[in-house]
Amino acid sequence: MGKFVLLNARLFAPGADLTGASNKIELTSEIEDKDTTNYYSQGWKEIIGGLGSAEISAEGQWEAGDPSLVDDESWSTLGGVGPYTVCPDTSTVGALAYLTAALRADYTIGDAVGEIAPWTGTAKSSWPLVRGQIAHPPGTARTTTGTGTILNLGAVPAGKRLYAALHVLSATGTTPSITAHIETGDATLSAPTTRLTFAAATTAGGQILRTDGTAITDAYARVAWTVSGTTPSFMFAVSLGIR
């Protein structure tokens, strides 16, 4: 991806797509520096890395009246930890994505008379900020059991983890249910291994999972899902990454 102007950044916050209500999104990730300077440091500071942290801050135009809108989503998640996915451009399959589990730490609304009603909010990480890819796009409705596009994520070294975020944006039908899981394998995934399984979802909401740090030699991964119910239909987004 070369240089570009931010025109279509995407923001998925637990079970809502806040893209249409956002006009600014910022990501920060840092490692605390700890001073280990001593008499052998030859007059120079020496530091080592301490605790890591990440933060997602966003702002935009206030809307309310539906679980998919920013006010409803913000109040329902304020003080809770959930999945967040940010794409600096599109959210097509394979697009660059950043994902994390984060605490919805604050939410601010209101301004002077005559101004467009604004909102601002911050989510502070409970897990590392992971650089990955979109494994399922938000604009494709799924009504039956299926599998997603195979992605070449690369192998997961020992001590690192495969992370996956699921954002169920809408669920319709009678007793609809979707259970998504992450599979890995060779380039064809003809004999896949299930690495992560999300809890069954019946309404809009978000989940995030990660593996236990054991090495995974498979380089390829995809999302798969099982759908049940009467005339079920789900809109959802999935992001994957390794860190």
Side-chain angles (χ1 to χ4, degrees), residues 27-83:
L27 298 173
T28 58
S29 183
E30 64 181 13
I31 303 296
E32 185 180 22
D33 59 279
K34 292 294 187 179
D35 194 331
T36 60
T37 307
N38 54 67
Y39 287 120
Y40 278 135
S41 299
Q42 302 297 313
W44 287 89
K45 273 192 172 184
E46 290 188 78
I47 59 171
I48 60 173
L51 297 176
S53 64
E55 183 175 296
I56 300 171
S57 59
E59 59 186 64
Q61 299 90 17
W62 181 88
E63 295 177 301
D66 185 90
S68 65
L69 300 180
V70 64
D71 193 68
D72 300 68
E73 186 279 332
S74 297
W75 281 111
S76 67
T77 59
L78 190 63
V81 175

Side-chain angles (χ1 to χ4, degrees), residues 111-116:
D111 204 336
V113 63
E115 299 298 328
I116 300 294

Side-chain angles (χ1 to χ4, degrees), residues 142-143 145 171-180 199-203 225-230 232-234:
R142 300 297 184 180
T143 59
T145 297
T172 61
T174 303
T175 62
S177 179
I178 184 170
T179 301
T202 58
T203 61
W225 56 90
T226 302
V227 170
S228 63
T230 303
S233 181
F234 290 89

Side-chain angles (χ1 to χ4, degrees), residues 155-175:
V156 182
K160 294 189 178 293
R161 303 174 186 236
L162 173 64
Y163 291 76
L166 167 67
H167 305 273
V168 177
L169 306 174
S170 67
T172 61
T174 303
T175 62

Side-chain angles (χ1 to χ4, degrees), residues 170-192:
S170 67
T172 61
T174 303
T175 62
S177 179
I178 184 170
T179 301
H181 55 274
I182 306 303
E183 301 175 337
T184 67
D186 62 15
T188 65
L189 260 77
S190 57

